[in-house]
Amino acid sequence: MRTETSTQIATQSDELPFINKTNRPIMELEFTKIKNKETSVATISLFGELGDQEGEINGHHWAHEFNWLDRNFDNINAHINGFGGSIGMGLSVVANIMGATSFVSTINVGVAASMAGIIALLGDKPKMYDYAKLMLHSPYYADENGEKVKNLSAKDQKALKALKDILVRLLMKRGKSEEEINKILKTDTWYSAEEALAEGFIDEIIVTGRKKELAALEPMALVAKLNDEYKPKKERKMKTVIAALGLPEDSNEQAVLEAVNNLQKDGGQSPDLSQAVDKLIDLGKAKGKVTEKNEKSIRKLADTDFNLFVDFLDLEGTPTGGEGGQTRITDVLAELRGQGGTGGEGKNKEKTFAWFEQNDPDALARMEISEPEKFRKLKEADDALYK
């Protein structure tokens, strides 16, 4: 948990760009996964360190996106995995979570340390995965190398004490006394999920089936592993867009942007993309995601941001009508190009890893324990699709 004298605590007032000018505008969602539009649930992730340097998460931007979700969804799940960072940005996040009108579940999915640990405890219902770790300590000033500054002026010491007092008051909301919190913050105090629950810091432990695999990892290794697992989800979305645009698999972001710009100049979608939209709309109708009332708006979303369009439909693992067949967006695109695919005609009779992730994660967790070989084969098959 660090503080910098240049950090602004208030959230930014300038609006982030909107990507769809409909009656209900859709924000450009950098951190969010819309899980269920019908039940008004969205998941936003805080994976990494808060700050304004390259590779860090701008907490003001994150808070601004969260604020948009709060205005448009009834329930928000905030997934947290990281070592904190800027206190100023962290307080922007805290202010929006605590001031939300929606019901906010803060979920520690790996490591929530320092400022991230405080954020993880301040939702309406704080939770931890069974293998997760929580760490709390006092704030400190950091130099340009991220090292703790020991020799502080009287002014800096006073400012640091004021920040610590704010954090103590926040943590006292979990039912602890000021004396108890100050004792906890004297050093780096670590908690397992069970210990955090016993201390009253969280309300629930989420059983994952991965505790044996992950609980023994050192915090840095755990954060790195989970961040690595998180990245492919974004990469899979990009591969969907790349496939839809007919670009080589190794195309970078710049190539995708150029292809999109060319489509816009041509005034429409490529034939493959247009057919893909039609096909996915049909599947969305079958699942109830697309209705006569919202179809026009969803098609506009496809024109504006195909990635978010696919994310909104959330069709991975949806039955396609065949015997056990499951939808994969890449299969839809491949089928349209005459390249075959694994879905669409019911060829995939066994439930896939993606199906379990989407429809029955508890069964997947049980399988990992009781049928590890089957779990391993399903996961390897799933991973192979995205290599």
Side-chain angles (χ1 to χ4, degrees):
M1 187 188 305
R2 66 173 190 268
T3 180
E4 308 88 356
T5 55
S6 61
T7 300
Q8 296 296 317
I9 292 181
T11 55
Q12 294 182 343
S13 59
D14 55 315
E15 290 289 321
L16 292 178
F18 291 101
I19 61 168
N20 188 26
K21 301 298 184 182
T22 63
N23 291 333
R24 190 180 186 185
I26 297 177
M27 189 178 194
E28 185 175 356
L29 302 176
E30 181 180 355
F31 308 105
T32 299
K33 166 79 173 179
I34 298 175
K35 282 287 187 184
N36 194 321
K37 195 75 173 179
E38 285 75 18
T39 57
S40 196
V41 178
T43 295
I44 183 168
S45 298
L46 183 57
F47 276 44
E49 190 166 349
L50 292 164
D52 55 9
Q53 303 299 314
E54 184 177 354
E56 296 180 330
I57 296 172
N58 188 307
H60 304 318
H61 290 175
W62 191 98
H64 200 58
E65 184 170 317
F66 179 92
N67 182 263
W68 182 87
L69 293 176
D70 184 37
R71 297 195 306 269
N72 289 277
F73 290 86
D74 297 326
N75 299 277
I76 301 174
N77 297 322
H79 286 184
I80 299 165
N81 182 47
F83 287 96
S86 164
I87 295 178
M89 291 191 180
L91 290 177
S92 288
V93 172
V94 167
N96 278 270
I97 288 177
M98 295 185 67
T101 56
S102 56
F103 187 88
V104 182
S105 296
T106 44
I107 306 171
N108 178 352
V109 302
V111 174
S114 191
M115 191 67 214
I118 291 174
I119 293 169
L121 303 183
L122 294 176
D124 295 308
K125 188 166 187 177
K127 307 176 185 180
M128 287 176 69
Y129 281 7
D130 53 6
Y131 57 76
K133 306 175 191 294
L134 169 70
M135 190 274 278
L136 302 171
H137 65 186
S138 290
Y140 60 86
Y141 278 102
D143 60 22
E144 59 185 10
N145 297 317
E147 298 296 324
K148 185 175 181 179
V149 177
K150 296 181 179 180
N151 298 319
L152 297 176
S153 66
K155 181 179 179 180
D156 285 342
Q157 290 180 34
K158 183 177 180 180
L160 200 58
K161 182 180 183 304
L163 283 174
K164 182 182 176 182
D165 287 345
I166 292 173
L167 302 183
V168 169
R169 298 300 171 192
L170 289 172
L171 289 173
M172 286 173 64
K173 294 182 179 296
R174 292 303 304 172
K176 296 283 188 184
S177 69
E178 182 176 357
E179 182 181 358
E180 288 175 311
I181 296 299
N182 276 311
K183 185 178 179 179
I184 289 168
L185 297 184
K186 276 187 176 180
T187 186
D188 292 355
T189 306
W190 287 91
Y191 299 90
S192 66
E194 290 80 5
E195 291 168 339
L197 182 65
E199 288 289 335
F201 282 130
I202 62 171
D203 296 333
E204 181 182 336
I205 296 174
I206 299 174
V207 178
T208 65
R210 303 185 69 186
K211 185 176 180 179
K212 184 177 180 181
E213 171 197 359
L214 299 175
L217 292 179
E218 291 298 317
M220 289 291 289
L222 181 57
V223 167
K225 179 175 178 60
L226 294 173
N227 281 347
D228 187 58
E229 291 182 2
Y230 172 77
K231 287 177 183 176
K233 295 180 181 179
K234 300 176 98 173
E235 292 169 3
R236 290 178 188 186
K237 294 183 203 173
M238 182 59 75
K239 287 184 179 181
T240 299
V241 176
I242 288 171
L245 293 170
L247 297 173
E249 288 186 6
D250 58 353
S251 297
N252 59 23
E253 187 174 353
Q254 184 59 38
V256 172
L257 290 174
E258 290 176 0
V260 171
N261 288 334
N262 289 334
L263 282 176
Q264 290 174 339
K265 289 176 182 177
D266 294 338
Q269 301 171 327
S270 67
D272 278 337
L273 186 54
S274 178
Q275 293 174 50
V277 169
D278 290 340
K279 178 73 173 178
L280 295 175
I281 287 286
D282 288 341
L283 291 171
K285 288 179 178 178
K287 192 178 180 182
K289 288 278 188 178
V290 181
T291 64
E292 184 178 347
K293 185 176 181 180
N294 68 12
E295 181 177 352
K296 185 177 180 181
S297 295
I298 291 175
R299 286 188 178 276
K300 285 182 179 180
L301 177 60
D303 290 339
T304 310
D305 190 323
F306 185 79
N307 185 14
L308 185 56
F309 162 72
V310 170
D311 201 20
F312 168 75
L313 291 179
D314 194 23
L315 296 173
E316 293 291 335
T318 301
T320 58
E323 184 181 347
Q326 307 296 330
T327 301
R328 282 192 179 277
I329 307 303
T330 47
D331 291 341
V332 173
L333 298 171
E335 181 184 344
L336 291 169
R337 290 197 174 93
Q339 297 174 355
T342 59
E345 293 183 3
K347 295 180 181 179
N348 189 13
K349 294 184 179 181
E350 291 192 8
K351 294 174 180 176
T352 64
F353 192 87
W355 185 94
F356 281 106
E357 283 187 312
Q358 179 68 31
N359 298 283
D360 198 351
D362 290 339
L364 191 64
R366 291 193 298 271
M367 185 194 305
E368 185 177 12
I369 298 172
S370 61
E371 300 178 272
E373 185 63 19
K374 181 179 179 180
F375 177 90
R376 182 186 64 78
K377 288 181 179 179
L378 285 177
K379 190 172 190 307
E380 286 180 353
D382 186 72
D383 291 341
L385 292 169
Y386 303 101
K387 289 182 178 178

